[in-house]
Every structure is written in structure tokens, then in C-alpha cells.
Amino acid sequence: MRIVIAGGHGQIALRLERLLAGRGDEVAGIIRRPEQGDDLRLVGAEPVLCDLESATVEQVAAHLQGADAAVFAAGAGPGSGAARKDTVDRDAAVLFADAAVRTGVRRHIVVSAMAADPDHQGDDVFDAYLRAKGKADEYVRKQSALDWTILRPGSLTNDPGTGLVRLEASTGRGSIPRDDVATVLAELVDTPATAGLTLELISGSTPVSVAVKSVAGN
């Protein structure tokens, strides 16, 4: 498969790229800065230079040509203000979905956030983040041309992955290593039967492959 990942230099994305390339997939990661390219090459991914905050849908669609799946893993990141939550976490996610529709790349996975809600109240930057993520998710869900799956991890850690998770429509609060989020994403790419699902993810006691098959109805 050829898989294009938005936010290709992110901590989860780099882990996912390594997993996908390691199993033989062709992986491209969209990055904003040329100096990030070497990190992608080290994990076996092709760096694609494109700023999702300023690109047109046509420019992004050109990078999705020939892809079998698209993963949105971009984010403004810690330290960014409320405005960039809108331009990256919301607007770039919408742009990426529109580009996928335009190129006919149906399999579409979004890395969202637990408690994302377009109507979330509050004035803090994190409140803006949850609203932005919620609005992006709401937009993607309306795209009938996409076989979308939305993944909402709990609090992210850099602990080593265990391969044991809880993956459900509602898990309650919890944490999850980024390693395990990447492993779940790799499994979701291969499981189109999860299309149409919004899933929460925290550490648990179920092996990843079993957890994904369970929510897929297998």
C-alpha cells in the first residue's frame, strides 16, 4: 500500500512511518520544513514538503495521487496559541479530507483527541484545541466519499508500548504510549471494516490486533 501521512514529523507519525515501512508499505510524510526530511528518511518514509496552513486543496491533492490510504496526524502542538489550533487542528484536517475526496483516496484515518467536541466551552488554549478537533471530526464524518475512522487517544506518554490496549467507542479517561497509538493506527489502515467509527484508545489488556478486530465486528 501507499500511505500518505499529514504531520509526518510528529511523534506518533514517525513511529507509524517506521512500522508501515518496516512491513513493506510505501510511506510518504507531509512536512513543513526541509530540515525535517532526514528524520523521515531514517524511518523509511519519503518526505513531502507542503505547508498545510497555506497550501491549496489542489496542491495537497497532488501529493495524495496514487495513495491507498491517508492519515491525518498533524497538530499545532504544545506552545501554539488558539489561532493555530484553528489553522492546523481544524482547517488543515478539513483541507486534507477535501484533498482525499478530490483524489478518490477513500481510506481516511484521523488522529483526534479524547473529549474533542465542536461545542466544547471555555477560553483556554486547550479548550480551543478540543473545539478545533471536534469541528474537524464533525466535518470528516460528513464526507460520504471517505471510509473514515477517527481515533481519539487518551493522555499520550513516551513509555515503551505494551501492545495491550482498550479500544472502544467510549473508554473513559486514561493514558496510552505513543508506541501503542502508532501500532493501532497501522492496524486500522489495514482494517477498512472500522470505517464510520469514532474510537477512544487507552492502555488496557487486549492485544492490538484483537482489539481492532473486535471493533470491526470480526
Side-chain angles (χ1 to χ4, degrees), residues 81-152:
R84 291 201 70 226
K85 305 307 181 190
D86 284 341
T87 58
V88 179
D89 294 285
R90 183 192 66 196
D91 296 347
V94 168
L95 175 71
F96 196 61
D98 285 344
V101 169
R102 181 164 298 204
T103 50
V105 181
R106 291 200 63 93
R107 189 70 181 118
H108 195 87
I109 298 170
V110 176
V111 182
S112 184
M114 197 171 284
D117 180 350
D119 299 316
H120 180 84
Q121 300 299 305
D123 299 321
D124 291 340
V125 171
F126 192 68
D127 297 320
Y129 170 73
L130 292 178
R131 275 194 300 276
K133 281 292 194 185
K135 288 175 182 176
D137 293 353
E138 184 179 56
Y139 185 85
V140 169
R141 287 195 191 105
K142 293 177 180 177
Q143 306 309 307
S144 59
L146 298 179
D147 295 328
W148 54 264
T149 303
I150 295 170
L151 184 66
R152 294 178 165 178

Side-chain angles (χ1 to χ4, degrees), residues 177-201:
R178 288 179 173 87
D179 286 349
D180 288 334
V181 177
T183 303
V184 169
L185 288 168
E187 195 80 20
L188 288 174
V189 167
D190 279 346
T191 314
T194 58
L197 299 180
T198 300
L199 301 167
E200 294 185 352
L201 173 67

Side-chain angles (χ1 to χ4, degrees), residues 10-69:
Q11 295 188 65
I12 290 172
L14 286 168
R15 289 167 166 84
L16 176 59
E17 287 155 1
R18 185 186 297 276
L19 288 174
L20 295 174
R23 71 185 194 187
D25 288 322
E26 182 183 341
V27 190
I30 295 176
I31 56 175
R32 284 194 308 125
R33 299 196 299 273
E35 60 268 25
Q36 297 172 330
D38 285 346
D39 290 336
L40 272 72
R41 295 183 189 96
L42 282 173
V43 298
E46 168 200 348
V48 173
L49 192 61
C50 179
D51 187 346
L52 294 176
E53 287 182 272
S54 60
T56 65
V57 67
E58 291 83 8
Q59 289 169 328
V60 180
H63 298 307
L64 283 167
Q65 288 289 347
D68 299 292

Side-chain angles (χ1 to χ4, degrees), residues 114 152-157 173-178 181 201-203:
M114 197 171 284
R152 294 178 165 178
S155 300
L156 299 169
T157 76
R173 294 286 182 176
S175 61
I176 180 84
R178 288 179 173 87
V181 177
L201 173 67
I202 58 174
S203 291

